[in-house]
Amino acid sequence: MIALINRRTSSILHSKHIISLKFITTYTSKDSSFTSVTSQNEDSGLYGFKILKSAKGFRRFVDEAIERSGELVSYISESPSDVEIIRAMDEISDTVCSVVDSAELCRNTHPDREYVEEANKATMRIHEYLHFLNTNHCLYNAVLKAEQGSLDTKEAQRAAHSLRVDFEKGGIHLPADKLERVNQLNIEIAQICRQFNENIINDPGFVDIFPASRIPKRIQHLLRPIYSASKEKGFRISTDQGTLSSVLQWVSDEEVRKQSYIRGNSTPRANLVLLDKLITARHDLAQILDHKTYAEFAVHQNLSSSPEVVKSFLVEMAELVRPKADKEFNKIRDFKRERSDYKNGVLEPWDEAYFTGMMKSSAYNLDSSAISAYFPLSQCIEGLKMLVQSIGATFYSVPLAPRESWHRDVLKMALHHPEEGDLGYIYLDLYSRKGKFPGCAHFAIKGARRISETEYQLPVVALVCNFKAPPGSSVARLDHWEVETLFHEFGHALHSLLSRTDYQHFSGTRVALDLAETPSHLFEYYAWDYRVLKTFAKHYSTGEVIPEKLVESMKGARKMFAATDLQRQVLYALIDQTLFGEQPSSSGDTMSVVWDLKRQYTSWNHVEGTHWHTRFNHLLNYGAGYYSYLYAKCFAATIWEEVCMEDPLSLTTGSSIRTKFLQHGGAEDPSVLLKNLAGDQILRYHSKGGILPDLTSLCKEMEL
């Protein structure tokens, strides 16, 4: 059951029909590890799990998950009713996911190496057990029986179908020799992905720059001082993604930008070979599973349904955005040539961030430090509370038990409804620290599900970011793009927290991949709307509300190169589809694929020898599915215009988003959810049978 750990696909409809669960009373867990984390417990451990009072608790966590799952497997083998089969399968999934998700969060955020190592071991052990579950014919046959039998709710029927499909994605229906090959390929793919990510972290590349004066003071704190043999001071630029972005935006010395760009986009070189291996392994896997390509295998259960539909959508978007993107390209090139040092200069990729930043500042007189002054982190958290109020709920702080937290900066909050009580819990781990997951992400800890007629397991999630306090301050002040990112991830978190599905298999973000990013893209709009910003964006020292004129200038700057940004996302999606699509008869290399697509769909130069895609880890997580970001962008644009724009913070708006969309997770057909929320016009139907987003709202917004 691949779905046991597939956190990208998820939940849906809250059925009013309550199912009687005989097996729940027969198999009552002896430990609170697998019950809902719903209240403060002085005796709890990490994430509220009693069993995780120490790092070694992960060992017992795995043991008990295997023991409990074994009981449920035995129960299923006794041929209970169809309803009870699906309930038992869902409890297995919940039990195993508790370990998988907790270990994943721990591995990425815990500052104690012992915890990280134990979480790593737990991950390996639980994945070995997952292999047993995913290849268990007793479970598969039980699911087949249930799917063809008498399930009395639409959600149960949908769960049975989804479980069967997930089993078959693992090849369980194939002859023994082919099943063994599928298992080998899945292990190989997992190992390649792990090594690919490790290479990104361990080999970020670097450039040494002398003298130190070539680096502006505003970013020197990001770099490591070095000294030459003659004692001259310089800086070592680590060309990891975050540092490289700052260098390309702020360094006026073109040679420094060029060296940094080339180095940063030429590492890790080892990932070129790994990516070739990944493409081959995924292609072989897809063909064994009776799909022409991995792209077909990856998307056939999504809204799009086929690579042909995806490709038609991406080409349509590329053609729509090209004229405006080319105008923006010409403006940047002309601006560069107006500078005294660049009279005949060619516009290069390392110029984009620097010159667009200058152009935005020149046009709108924007100062990033002046903007961030209105976004101290404490006020941004107030902004999250404001979003919650629009759905008729509140956040309140929950005291952390002695061993529940993993760092002193972590906050715990409960999402509370005045009539329904607590809806779920969220941990906020928002400050940067050494060894922590480098980006921003939403981690599930517990999915929502109905346990019995009277009990409901509340969702528990963590929102992880890496915000930094400026020198001399203990409070982070966010750049506006960081505020947008915070709201984006909070959209994912709300999707999980508001989920009210009967099955955790459908909880929260476990929806069709090309729907999953819609809530997060929708909540980005809130980060730009002055009616929202004025409720929380206040100057860290004076308390002054952010001026509307400043927000309008920020919006103007954002629009200046919006077509270029969109074109880049279309290019990424086309690269993703092409790499995992039909394989060329002669062996090609991924560098030439990237070069050809960039030349075909943009006006930007490709720098020979560079291979930025070797640290584009979305190729791993979203293989052949990166287009889903663009689907979500279109869906969100329509929802904003049709549902939110008139009054984004009204209870009517918030209630619609919650009751028609977020609370259903993956338990309802995605197209039904979208149409119920925003009307039939949000979708288009392709002649090949797949579904496309309507582009009208996005085109209007971007003036395409």
Side-chain angles (χ1 to χ4, degrees), residues 12-13 15 17 19 82-87 143 146-148 150-163 502-503 505-506 667:
I12 221 168
L13 188 112
S15 173
H17 181 83
I19 300 169
D82 298 332
V83 168
E84 289 169 344
I85 287 171
I86 300 306
R87 282 289 173 184
V143 168
E147 186 183 14
Q148 296 161 8
S150 54
L151 294 169
D152 53 1
T153 69
K154 188 165 70 169
E155 185 176 344
Q157 293 163 5
R158 189 173 174 84
H161 174 76
S162 178
L163 286 165
D502 282 348
Y503 300 102
H505 183 78
F506 291 135

PDB file of all heavy atoms in Angstrom, residues 12-13 15 17 19 82-87 143 146-148 150-163 502-503 505-506 667:
ATOM      1  N   ILE A  12     -10.974  13.941   2.075  1.00  0.00           N
ATOM      2  CA  ILE A  12     -12.199  14.496   1.508  1.00  0.00           C
ATOM      3  C   ILE A  12     -13.412  14.596   2.395  1.00  0.00           C
ATOM      4  O   ILE A  12     -13.355  15.084   3.469  1.00  0.00           O
ATOM      5  CB  ILE A  12     -12.531  13.697   0.257  1.00  0.00           C
ATOM      6  CG1 ILE A  12     -12.990  14.594  -0.816  1.00  0.00           C
ATOM      7  CG2 ILE A  12     -13.381  12.591   0.511  1.00  0.00           C
ATOM      8  CD1 ILE A  12     -13.044  13.915  -2.119  1.00  0.00           C
ATOM      9  N   LEU A  13     -14.517  14.089   1.976  1.00  0.00           N
ATOM     10  CA  LEU A  13     -15.861  14.384   2.450  1.00  0.00           C
ATOM     11  C   LEU A  13     -16.130  13.888   3.862  1.00  0.00           C
ATOM     12  O   LEU A  13     -15.823  12.777   4.188  1.00  0.00           O
ATOM     13  CB  LEU A  13     -16.828  13.706   1.496  1.00  0.00           C
ATOM     14  CG  LEU A  13     -18.268  14.026   1.670  1.00  0.00           C
ATOM     15  CD1 LEU A  13     -18.747  14.817   0.461  1.00  0.00           C
ATOM     16  CD2 LEU A  13     -19.072  12.762   1.754  1.00  0.00           C
ATOM     17  N   SER A  15     -18.509  12.458   6.107  1.00  0.00           N
ATOM     18  CA  SER A  15     -19.801  11.770   6.036  1.00  0.00           C
ATOM     19  C   SER A  15     -20.532  11.849   7.372  1.00  0.00           C
ATOM     20  O   SER A  15     -19.951  11.656   8.413  1.00  0.00           O
ATOM     21  CB  SER A  15     -19.577  10.299   5.671  1.00  0.00           C
ATOM     22  OG  SER A  15     -20.772   9.593   5.743  1.00  0.00           O
ATOM     23  N   HIS A  17     -22.807   9.826   8.164  1.00  0.00           N
ATOM     24  CA  HIS A  17     -23.114   8.458   8.572  1.00  0.00           C
ATOM     25  C   HIS A  17     -21.973   7.938   9.443  1.00  0.00           C
ATOM     26  O   HIS A  17     -20.826   7.960   9.062  1.00  0.00           O
ATOM     27  CB  HIS A  17     -23.267   7.562   7.338  1.00  0.00           C
ATOM     28  CG  HIS A  17     -23.601   6.148   7.682  1.00  0.00           C
ATOM     29  ND1 HIS A  17     -24.887   5.732   7.936  1.00  0.00           N
ATOM     30  CD2 HIS A  17     -22.809   5.063   7.833  1.00  0.00           C
ATOM     31  CE1 HIS A  17     -24.871   4.432   8.204  1.00  0.00           C
ATOM     32  NE2 HIS A  17     -23.629   4.004   8.149  1.00  0.00           N
ATOM     33  N   ILE A  19     -20.060   4.907  11.229  1.00  0.00           N
ATOM     34  CA  ILE A  19     -19.929   3.464  11.051  1.00  0.00           C
ATOM     35  C   ILE A  19     -19.609   2.809  12.391  1.00  0.00           C
ATOM     36  O   ILE A  19     -18.744   3.262  13.127  1.00  0.00           O
ATOM     37  CB  ILE A  19     -18.812   3.160  10.042  1.00  0.00           C
ATOM     38  CG1 ILE A  19     -19.171   3.806   8.700  1.00  0.00           C
ATOM     39  CG2 ILE A  19     -18.587   1.685   9.876  1.00  0.00           C
ATOM     40  CD1 ILE A  19     -18.041   3.805   7.712  1.00  0.00           C
ATOM     41  N   ASP A  82     -17.000  -5.799   4.716  1.00  0.00           N
ATOM     42  CA  ASP A  82     -16.278  -4.904   3.813  1.00  0.00           C
ATOM     43  C   ASP A  82     -15.945  -3.579   4.493  1.00  0.00           C
ATOM     44  O   ASP A  82     -14.842  -3.044   4.346  1.00  0.00           O
ATOM     45  CB  ASP A  82     -17.118  -4.649   2.555  1.00  0.00           C
ATOM     46  CG  ASP A  82     -17.373  -5.924   1.770  1.00  0.00           C
ATOM     47  OD1 ASP A  82     -16.537  -6.835   1.848  1.00  0.00           O
ATOM     48  OD2 ASP A  82     -18.414  -5.996   1.099  1.00  0.00           O
ATOM     49  N   VAL A  83     -16.904  -3.048   5.246  1.00  0.00           N
ATOM     50  CA  VAL A  83     -16.681  -1.787   5.952  1.00  0.00           C
ATOM     51  C   VAL A  83     -15.527  -1.924   6.928  1.00  0.00           C
ATOM     52  O   VAL A  83     -14.653  -1.054   7.024  1.00  0.00           O
ATOM     53  CB  VAL A  83     -17.967  -1.353   6.691  1.00  0.00           C
ATOM     54  CG1 VAL A  83     -17.677  -0.206   7.658  1.00  0.00           C
ATOM     55  CG2 VAL A  83     -19.039  -0.936   5.699  1.00  0.00           C
ATOM     56  N   GLU A  84     -15.496  -3.031   7.661  1.00  0.00           N
ATOM     57  CA  GLU A  84     -14.459  -3.216   8.674  1.00  0.00           C
ATOM     58  C   GLU A  84     -13.091  -3.462   8.042  1.00  0.00           C
ATOM     59  O   GLU A  84     -12.063  -3.103   8.619  1.00  0.00           O
ATOM     60  CB  GLU A  84     -14.870  -4.351   9.616  1.00  0.00           C
ATOM     61  CG  GLU A  84     -16.037  -3.940  10.516  1.00  0.00           C
ATOM     62  CD  GLU A  84     -16.657  -5.101  11.271  1.00  0.00           C
ATOM     63  OE1 GLU A  84     -16.404  -6.266  10.894  1.00  0.00           O
ATOM     64  OE2 GLU A  84     -17.399  -4.843  12.229  1.00  0.00           O
ATOM     65  N   ILE A  85     -13.062  -4.050   6.855  1.00  0.00           N
ATOM     66  CA  ILE A  85     -11.788  -4.211   6.137  1.00  0.00           C
ATOM     67  C   ILE A  85     -11.168  -2.843   5.857  1.00  0.00           C
ATOM     68  O   ILE A  85      -9.997  -2.604   6.134  1.00  0.00           O
ATOM     69  CB  ILE A  85     -11.998  -4.988   4.820  1.00  0.00           C
ATOM     70  CG1 ILE A  85     -12.249  -6.470   5.097  1.00  0.00           C
ATOM     71  CG2 ILE A  85     -10.773  -4.830   3.896  1.00  0.00           C
ATOM     72  CD1 ILE A  85     -12.684  -7.260   3.878  1.00  0.00           C
ATOM     73  N   ILE A  86     -11.983  -1.948   5.322  1.00  0.00           N
ATOM     74  CA  ILE A  86     -11.456  -0.623   4.973  1.00  0.00           C
ATOM     75  C   ILE A  86     -11.066   0.150   6.228  1.00  0.00           C
ATOM     76  O   ILE A  86     -10.046   0.852   6.251  1.00  0.00           O
ATOM     77  CB  ILE A  86     -12.484   0.161   4.132  1.00  0.00           C
ATOM     78  CG1 ILE A  86     -12.802  -0.611   2.844  1.00  0.00           C
ATOM     79  CG2 ILE A  86     -11.952   1.551   3.789  1.00  0.00           C
ATOM     80  CD1 ILE A  86     -11.585  -0.996   2.011  1.00  0.00           C
ATOM     81  N   ARG A  87     -11.851   0.025   7.303  1.00  0.00           N
ATOM     82  CA  ARG A  87     -11.498   0.684   8.556  1.00  0.00           C
ATOM     83  C   ARG A  87     -10.177   0.135   9.110  1.00  0.00           C
ATOM     84  O   ARG A  87      -9.328   0.882   9.593  1.00  0.00           O
ATOM     85  CB  ARG A  87     -12.612   0.489   9.580  1.00  0.00           C
ATOM     86  CG  ARG A  87     -13.800   1.403   9.367  1.00  0.00           C
ATOM     87  CD  ARG A  87     -13.428   2.819   9.723  1.00  0.00           C
ATOM     88  NE  ARG A  87     -14.496   3.760   9.377  1.00  0.00           N
ATOM     89  CZ  ARG A  87     -14.400   5.060   9.507  1.00  0.00           C
ATOM     90  NH1 ARG A  87     -13.283   5.595   9.951  1.00  0.00           N
ATOM     91  NH2 ARG A  87     -15.382   5.856   9.157  1.00  0.00           N
ATOM     92  N   VAL A 143      -8.976  -6.023   0.038  1.00  0.00           N
ATOM     93  CA  VAL A 143      -9.383  -4.744  -0.550  1.00  0.00           C
ATOM     94  C   VAL A 143     -10.196  -4.977  -1.819  1.00  0.00           C
ATOM     95  O   VAL A 143     -11.212  -4.301  -2.057  1.00  0.00           O
ATOM     96  CB  VAL A 143      -8.145  -3.860  -0.827  1.00  0.00           C
ATOM     97  CG1 VAL A 143      -8.518  -2.662  -1.697  1.00  0.00           C
ATOM     98  CG2 VAL A 143      -7.534  -3.375   0.482  1.00  0.00           C
ATOM     99  N   ALA A 146     -13.610  -5.898  -0.772  1.00  0.00           N
ATOM    100  CA  ALA A 146     -14.364  -4.756  -0.253  1.00  0.00           C
ATOM    101  C   ALA A 146     -14.807  -3.824  -1.374  1.00  0.00           C
ATOM    102  O   ALA A 146     -15.941  -3.325  -1.366  1.00  0.00           O
ATOM    103  CB  ALA A 146     -13.511  -3.993   0.761  1.00  0.00           C
ATOM    104  N   GLU A 147     -13.924  -3.611  -2.345  1.00  0.00           N
ATOM    105  CA  GLU A 147     -14.263  -2.704  -3.450  1.00  0.00           C
ATOM    106  C   GLU A 147     -15.448  -3.233  -4.250  1.00  0.00           C
ATOM    107  O   GLU A 147     -16.290  -2.467  -4.718  1.00  0.00           O
ATOM    108  CB  GLU A 147     -13.060  -2.497  -4.361  1.00  0.00           C
ATOM    109  CG  GLU A 147     -13.321  -1.457  -5.443  1.00  0.00           C
ATOM    110  CD  GLU A 147     -12.158  -1.285  -6.417  1.00  0.00           C
ATOM    111  OE1 GLU A 147     -11.256  -2.146  -6.437  1.00  0.00           O
ATOM    112  OE2 GLU A 147     -12.158  -0.295  -7.168  1.00  0.00           O
ATOM    113  N   GLN A 148     -15.520  -4.550  -4.383  1.00  0.00           N
ATOM    114  CA  GLN A 148     -16.593  -5.162  -5.162  1.00  0.00           C
ATOM    115  C   GLN A 148     -17.822  -5.478  -4.304  1.00  0.00           C
ATOM    116  O   GLN A 148     -18.832  -5.958  -4.812  1.00  0.00           O
ATOM    117  CB  GLN A 148     -16.080  -6.455  -5.808  1.00  0.00           C
ATOM    118  CG  GLN A 148     -14.972  -6.204  -6.822  1.00  0.00           C
ATOM    119  CD  GLN A 148     -14.140  -7.453  -7.118  1.00  0.00           C
ATOM    120  OE1 GLN A 148     -14.481  -8.551  -6.670  1.00  0.00           O
ATOM    121  NE2 GLN A 148     -13.051  -7.281  -7.864  1.00  0.00           N
ATOM    122  N   SER A 150     -20.151  -4.428  -0.503  1.00  0.00           N
ATOM    123  CA  SER A 150     -21.227  -3.511  -0.090  1.00  0.00           C
ATOM    124  C   SER A 150     -20.698  -2.486   0.910  1.00  0.00           C
ATOM    125  O   SER A 150     -20.808  -2.692   2.122  1.00  0.00           O
ATOM    126  CB  SER A 150     -22.371  -4.308   0.537  1.00  0.00           C
ATOM    127  OG  SER A 150     -21.870  -5.127   1.588  1.00  0.00           O
ATOM    128  N   LEU A 151     -20.135  -1.431   0.412  1.00  0.00           N
ATOM    129  CA  LEU A 151     -19.681  -0.324   1.252  1.00  0.00           C
ATOM    130  C   LEU A 151     -20.766   0.744   1.250  1.00  0.00           C
ATOM    131  O   LEU A 151     -21.286   1.109   0.191  1.00  0.00           O
ATOM    132  CB  LEU A 151     -18.357   0.231   0.729  1.00  0.00           C
ATOM    133  CG  LEU A 151     -17.175  -0.736   0.833  1.00  0.00           C
ATOM    134  CD1 LEU A 151     -15.977  -0.208   0.047  1.00  0.00           C
ATOM    135  CD2 LEU A 151     -16.795  -0.969   2.288  1.00  0.00           C
ATOM    136  N   ASP A 152     -21.097   1.240   2.447  1.00  0.00           N
ATOM    137  CA  ASP A 152     -22.315   2.045   2.555  1.00  0.00           C
ATOM    138  C   ASP A 152     -22.101   3.553   2.545  1.00  0.00           C
ATOM    139  O   ASP A 152     -23.042   4.301   2.788  1.00  0.00           O
ATOM    140  CB  ASP A 152     -23.103   1.639   3.802  1.00  0.00           C
ATOM    141  CG  ASP A 152     -22.244   1.675   5.054  1.00  0.00           C
ATOM    142  OD1 ASP A 152     -21.055   2.023   4.940  1.00  0.00           O
ATOM    143  OD2 ASP A 152     -22.769   1.361   6.138  1.00  0.00           O
ATOM    144  N   THR A 153     -20.903   4.020   2.285  1.00  0.00           N
ATOM    145  CA  THR A 153     -20.705   5.460   2.089  1.00  0.00           C
ATOM    146  C   THR A 153     -19.840   5.683   0.859  1.00  0.00           C
ATOM    147  O   THR A 153     -19.026   4.822   0.495  1.00  0.00           O
ATOM    148  CB  THR A 153     -20.020   6.136   3.296  1.00  0.00           C
ATOM    149  OG1 THR A 153     -18.657   5.701   3.376  1.00  0.00           O
ATOM    150  CG2 THR A 153     -20.746   5.839   4.596  1.00  0.00           C
ATOM    151  N   LYS A 154     -20.002   6.839   0.270  1.00  0.00           N
ATOM    152  CA  LYS A 154     -19.198   7.176  -0.907  1.00  0.00           C
ATOM    153  C   LYS A 154     -17.720   7.242  -0.548  1.00  0.00           C
ATOM    154  O   LYS A 154     -16.858   6.842  -1.336  1.00  0.00           O
ATOM    155  CB  LYS A 154     -19.677   8.505  -1.489  1.00  0.00           C
ATOM    156  CG  LYS A 154     -19.041   8.841  -2.832  1.00  0.00           C
ATOM    157  CD  LYS A 154     -19.783   9.960  -3.544  1.00  0.00           C
ATOM    158  CE  LYS A 154     -19.607  11.291  -2.874  1.00  0.00           C
ATOM    159  NZ  LYS A 154     -20.113  12.417  -3.711  1.00  0.00           N
ATOM    160  N   GLU A 155     -17.434   7.739   0.658  1.00  0.00           N
ATOM    161  CA  GLU A 155     -16.029   7.846   1.055  1.00  0.00           C
ATOM    162  C   GLU A 155     -15.396   6.472   1.224  1.00  0.00           C
ATOM    163  O   GLU A 155     -14.255   6.248   0.837  1.00  0.00           O
ATOM    164  CB  GLU A 155     -15.892   8.648   2.353  1.00  0.00           C
ATOM    165  CG  GLU A 155     -14.429   8.888   2.731  1.00  0.00           C
ATOM    166  CD  GLU A 155     -14.246   9.760   3.955  1.00  0.00           C
ATOM    167  OE1 GLU A 155     -15.209  10.442   4.362  1.00  0.00           O
ATOM    168  OE2 GLU A 155     -13.127   9.768   4.493  1.00  0.00           O
ATOM    169  N   ALA A 156     -16.144   5.526   1.798  1.00  0.00           N
ATOM    170  CA  ALA A 156     -15.620   4.166   1.951  1.00  0.00           C
ATOM    171  C   ALA A 156     -15.357   3.532   0.585  1.00  0.00           C
ATOM    172  O   ALA A 156     -14.337   2.862   0.373  1.00  0.00           O
ATOM    173  CB  ALA A 156     -16.598   3.314   2.755  1.00  0.00           C
ATOM    174  N   GLN A 157     -16.278   3.731  -0.353  1.00  0.00           N
ATOM    175  CA  GLN A 157     -16.093   3.203  -1.711  1.00  0.00           C
ATOM    176  C   GLN A 157     -14.866   3.822  -2.364  1.00  0.00           C
ATOM    177  O   GLN A 157     -14.074   3.128  -3.011  1.00  0.00           O
ATOM    178  CB  GLN A 157     -17.344   3.490  -2.545  1.00  0.00           C
ATOM    179  CG  GLN A 157     -18.584   2.738  -2.079  1.00  0.00           C
ATOM    180  CD  GLN A 157     -19.869   3.330  -2.630  1.00  0.00           C
ATOM    181  OE1 GLN A 157     -19.856   4.253  -3.447  1.00  0.00           O
ATOM    182  NE2 GLN A 157     -21.008   2.808  -2.166  1.00  0.00           N
ATOM    183  N   ARG A 158     -14.710   5.114  -2.161  1.00  0.00           N
ATOM    184  CA  ARG A 158     -13.554   5.802  -2.735  1.00  0.00           C
ATOM    185  C   ARG A 158     -12.253   5.306  -2.092  1.00  0.00           C
ATOM    186  O   ARG A 158     -11.235   5.142  -2.767  1.00  0.00           O
ATOM    187  CB  ARG A 158     -13.719   7.313  -2.529  1.00  0.00           C
ATOM    188  CG  ARG A 158     -12.717   8.168  -3.263  1.00  0.00           C
ATOM    189  CD  ARG A 158     -13.080   9.648  -3.116  1.00  0.00           C
ATOM    190  NE  ARG A 158     -12.053  10.498  -3.683  1.00  0.00           N
ATOM    191  CZ  ARG A 158     -11.955  10.819  -4.962  1.00  0.00           C
ATOM    192  NH1 ARG A 158     -12.843  10.356  -5.813  1.00  0.00           N
ATOM    193  NH2 ARG A 158     -10.994  11.611  -5.398  1.00  0.00           N
ATOM    194  N   ALA A 159     -12.297   5.054  -0.785  1.00  0.00           N
ATOM    195  CA  ALA A 159     -11.113   4.550  -0.079  1.00  0.00           C
ATOM    196  C   ALA A 159     -10.714   3.173  -0.602  1.00  0.00           C
ATOM    197  O   ALA A 159      -9.524   2.899  -0.826  1.00  0.00           O
ATOM    198  CB  ALA A 159     -11.375   4.500   1.422  1.00  0.00           C
ATOM    199  N   ALA A 160     -11.687   2.301  -0.796  1.00  0.00           N
ATOM    200  CA  ALA A 160     -11.394   0.957  -1.300  1.00  0.00           C
ATOM    201  C   ALA A 160     -10.753   1.029  -2.683  1.00  0.00           C
ATOM    202  O   ALA A 160      -9.749   0.343  -2.964  1.00  0.00           O
ATOM    203  CB  ALA A 160     -12.675   0.128  -1.350  1.00  0.00           C
ATOM    204  N   HIS A 161     -11.323   1.851  -3.540  1.00  0.00           N
ATOM    205  CA  HIS A 161     -10.765   2.015  -4.886  1.00  0.00           C
ATOM    206  C   HIS A 161      -9.344   2.559  -4.826  1.00  0.00           C
ATOM    207  O   HIS A 161      -8.432   2.057  -5.508  1.00  0.00           O
ATOM    208  CB  HIS A 161     -11.648   2.947  -5.710  1.00  0.00           C
ATOM    209  CG  HIS A 161     -11.077   3.292  -7.048  1.00  0.00           C
ATOM    210  ND1 HIS A 161     -11.084   2.415  -8.109  1.00  0.00           N
ATOM    211  CD2 HIS A 161     -10.437   4.424  -7.491  1.00  0.00           C
ATOM    212  CE1 HIS A 161     -10.491   2.983  -9.155  1.00  0.00           C
ATOM    213  NE2 HIS A 161     -10.093   4.203  -8.793  1.00  0.00           N
ATOM    214  N   SER A 162      -9.140   3.581  -3.998  1.00  0.00           N
ATOM    215  CA  SER A 162      -7.822   4.201  -3.891  1.00  0.00           C
ATOM    216  C   SER A 162      -6.785   3.225  -3.354  1.00  0.00           C
ATOM    217  O   SER A 162      -5.649   3.164  -3.841  1.00  0.00           O
ATOM    218  CB  SER A 162      -7.913   5.431  -2.979  1.00  0.00           C
ATOM    219  OG  SER A 162      -6.648   6.026  -2.815  1.00  0.00           O
ATOM    220  N   LEU A 163      -7.161   2.425  -2.360  1.00  0.00           N
ATOM    221  CA  LEU A 163      -6.236   1.433  -1.801  1.00  0.00           C
ATOM    222  C   LEU A 163      -5.866   0.383  -2.851  1.00  0.00           C
ATOM    223  O   LEU A 163      -4.706  -0.013  -2.965  1.00  0.00           O
ATOM    224  CB  LEU A 163      -6.868   0.767  -0.579  1.00  0.00           C
ATOM    225  CG  LEU A 163      -6.929   1.619   0.691  1.00  0.00           C
ATOM    226  CD1 LEU A 163      -7.897   1.011   1.699  1.00  0.00           C
ATOM    227  CD2 LEU A 163      -5.542   1.759   1.308  1.00  0.00           C
ATOM    228  N   ASP A 502     -13.547  10.685   7.265  1.00  0.00           N
ATOM    229  CA  ASP A 502     -13.689   9.457   8.047  1.00  0.00           C
ATOM    230  C   ASP A 502     -12.383   8.664   8.058  1.00  0.00           C
ATOM    231  O   ASP A 502     -12.092   7.961   9.019  1.00  0.00           O
ATOM    232  CB  ASP A 502     -14.805   8.581   7.465  1.00  0.00           C
ATOM    233  CG  ASP A 502     -16.195   9.079   7.853  1.00  0.00           C
ATOM    234  OD1 ASP A 502     -16.274   9.949   8.747  1.00  0.00           O
ATOM    235  OD2 ASP A 502     -17.182   8.608   7.265  1.00  0.00           O
ATOM    236  N   TYR A 503     -11.610   8.787   6.974  1.00  0.00           N
ATOM    237  CA  TYR A 503     -10.386   7.988   6.834  1.00  0.00           C
ATOM    238  C   TYR A 503      -9.162   8.893   6.762  1.00  0.00           C
ATOM    239  O   TYR A 503      -9.155   9.873   6.011  1.00  0.00           O
ATOM    240  CB  TYR A 503     -10.466   7.121   5.570  1.00  0.00           C
ATOM    241  CG  TYR A 503     -11.627   6.165   5.583  1.00  0.00           C
ATOM    242  CD1 TYR A 503     -12.782   6.436   4.863  1.00  0.00           C
ATOM    243  CD2 TYR A 503     -11.574   4.998   6.342  1.00  0.00           C
ATOM    244  CE1 TYR A 503     -13.864   5.566   4.888  1.00  0.00           C
ATOM    245  CE2 TYR A 503     -12.648   4.122   6.374  1.00  0.00           C
ATOM    246  CZ  TYR A 503     -13.796   4.411   5.652  1.00  0.00           C
ATOM    247  OH  TYR A 503     -14.865   3.553   5.695  1.00  0.00           O
ATOM    248  N   HIS A 505      -6.581   8.134   5.360  1.00  0.00           N
ATOM    249  CA  HIS A 505      -6.094   7.941   3.991  1.00  0.00           C
ATOM    250  C   HIS A 505      -6.408   9.151   3.114  1.00  0.00           C
ATOM    251  O   HIS A 505      -5.712   9.422   2.138  1.00  0.00           O
ATOM    252  CB  HIS A 505      -6.752   6.688   3.409  1.00  0.00           C
ATOM    253  CG  HIS A 505      -6.293   6.319   2.041  1.00  0.00           C
ATOM    254  ND1 HIS A 505      -5.097   5.685   1.793  1.00  0.00           N
ATOM    255  CD2 HIS A 505      -6.864   6.505   0.829  1.00  0.00           C
ATOM    256  CE1 HIS A 505      -4.959   5.494   0.490  1.00  0.00           C
ATOM    257  NE2 HIS A 505      -6.017   5.978  -0.119  1.00  0.00           N
ATOM    258  N   PHE A 506      -7.458   9.898   3.473  1.00  0.00           N
ATOM    259  CA  PHE A 506      -7.872  11.074   2.712  1.00  0.00           C
ATOM    260  C   PHE A 506      -7.645  12.381   3.477  1.00  0.00           C
ATOM    261  O   PHE A 506      -8.125  13.434   3.081  1.00  0.00           O
ATOM    262  CB  PHE A 506      -9.363  10.980   2.369  1.00  0.00           C
ATOM    263  CG  PHE A 506      -9.703   9.910   1.376  1.00  0.00           C
ATOM    264  CD1 PHE A 506     -10.783   9.075   1.594  1.00  0.00           C
ATOM    265  CD2 PHE A 506      -8.955   9.749   0.231  1.00  0.00           C
ATOM    266  CE1 PHE A 506     -11.118   8.088   0.665  1.00  0.00           C
ATOM    267  CE2 PHE A 506      -9.275   8.769  -0.698  1.00  0.00           C
ATOM    268  CZ  PHE A 506     -10.358   7.937  -0.483  1.00  0.00           C
ATOM    269  N   ALA A 667     -11.383  13.066   0.071  1.00  0.00           N
ATOM    270  CA  ALA A 667     -12.513  12.134   0.095  1.00  0.00           C
ATOM    271  C   ALA A 667     -13.560  12.409  -0.971  1.00  0.00           C
ATOM    272  O   ALA A 667     -14.497  11.651  -1.128  1.00  0.00           O
ATOM    273  CB  ALA A 667     -13.174  12.157   1.477  1.00  0.00           C
TER     274      ALA A 667
END
